[in-house]
Amino acid sequence: MNVIYLDQNVVIALAEKSKEAERVSRAREAVLKQVAAGVAIFPYSEIHFAESAAMRPESRTRIGEFVDQISAGYRFAEGKYLRSQQFKDILTGSKTSFRSRSAVFPDLISFVEN
């Protein structure tokens, strides 16, 4: 499974169907196809929450529903957790893991509900 981070501005462009150019439309379909095939997920992060907070409620819901679809319910661990874990690895002399399983986890609550 490929784990891919999409910046908020890309998520917004892909979610806003009414403003799609042909290139954005093709990208949206490719993303949805990868998720449907179980080949890739596009988790969200705390940054997505922060940047969505200022949106109008209807926009936030529309974006959130798209995020829920492409994330398959996964989110990135908070940056402070990852930095903390890496610091602990350095102190203990352990190898730091950069695998997706150490940075991505299933969220029990959807993006929209969060």
Side-chain angles (χ1 to χ4, degrees), residues 15 20 22 29 39:
E20 289 186 47
E22 183 181 343
E29 292 309 312
V39 175

mmCIF file of all heavy atoms in Angstrom, residues 15 20 22 29 39:
data_model
loop_
_atom_site.group_PDB
_atom_site.id
_atom_site.type_symbol
_atom_site.label_atom_id
_atom_site.label_comp_id
_atom_site.label_asym_id
_atom_site.label_seq_id
_atom_site.Cartn_x
_atom_site.Cartn_y
_atom_site.Cartn_z
ATOM 1 N N ALA A 15 -11.109 18.231 -4.713
ATOM 2 C CA ALA A 15 -12.454 18.105 -4.155
ATOM 3 C C ALA A 15 -13.468 19.025 -4.813
ATOM 4 O O ALA A 15 -14.651 18.712 -4.858
ATOM 5 C CB ALA A 15 -12.422 18.373 -2.653
ATOM 6 N N GLU A 20 -13.124 22.183 -11.893
ATOM 7 C CA GLU A 20 -12.091 21.302 -12.436
ATOM 8 C C GLU A 20 -11.700 21.634 -13.863
ATOM 9 O O GLU A 20 -12.539 21.758 -14.735
ATOM 10 C CB GLU A 20 -12.566 19.855 -12.393
ATOM 11 C CG GLU A 20 -12.636 19.287 -11.014
ATOM 12 C CD GLU A 20 -12.962 17.821 -11.034
ATOM 13 O OE1 GLU A 20 -12.347 17.083 -11.814
ATOM 14 O OE2 GLU A 20 -13.842 17.428 -10.271
ATOM 15 N N GLU A 22 -9.420 20.054 -17.059
ATOM 16 C CA GLU A 22 -9.246 18.675 -17.507
ATOM 17 C C GLU A 22 -8.121 17.970 -16.750
ATOM 18 O O GLU A 22 -8.263 16.820 -16.341
ATOM 19 C CB GLU A 22 -8.965 18.635 -19.011
ATOM 20 C CG GLU A 22 -8.856 17.223 -19.549
ATOM 21 C CD GLU A 22 -8.547 17.180 -21.022
ATOM 22 O OE1 GLU A 22 -8.726 18.200 -21.716
ATOM 23 O OE2 GLU A 22 -8.112 16.113 -21.472
ATOM 24 N N GLU A 29 -9.559 11.566 -10.793
ATOM 25 C CA GLU A 29 -9.943 10.196 -11.155
ATOM 26 C C GLU A 29 -8.825 9.210 -10.857
ATOM 27 O O GLU A 29 -9.080 8.092 -10.402
ATOM 28 C CB GLU A 29 -10.360 10.125 -12.618
ATOM 29 C CG GLU A 29 -11.658 10.857 -12.919
ATOM 30 C CD GLU A 29 -12.806 10.463 -11.994
ATOM 31 O OE1 GLU A 29 -13.023 9.235 -11.791
ATOM 32 O OE2 GLU A 29 -13.467 11.369 -11.450
ATOM 33 N N VAL A 39 -4.530 0.398 -3.764
ATOM 34 C CA VAL A 39 -3.117 0.580 -4.080
ATOM 35 C C VAL A 39 -2.508 1.728 -3.280
ATOM 36 O O VAL A 39 -1.329 1.695 -2.935
ATOM 37 C CB VAL A 39 -2.943 0.839 -5.593
ATOM 38 C CG1 VAL A 39 -1.509 1.161 -5.940
ATOM 39 C CG2 VAL A 39 -3.440 -0.352 -6.382
#
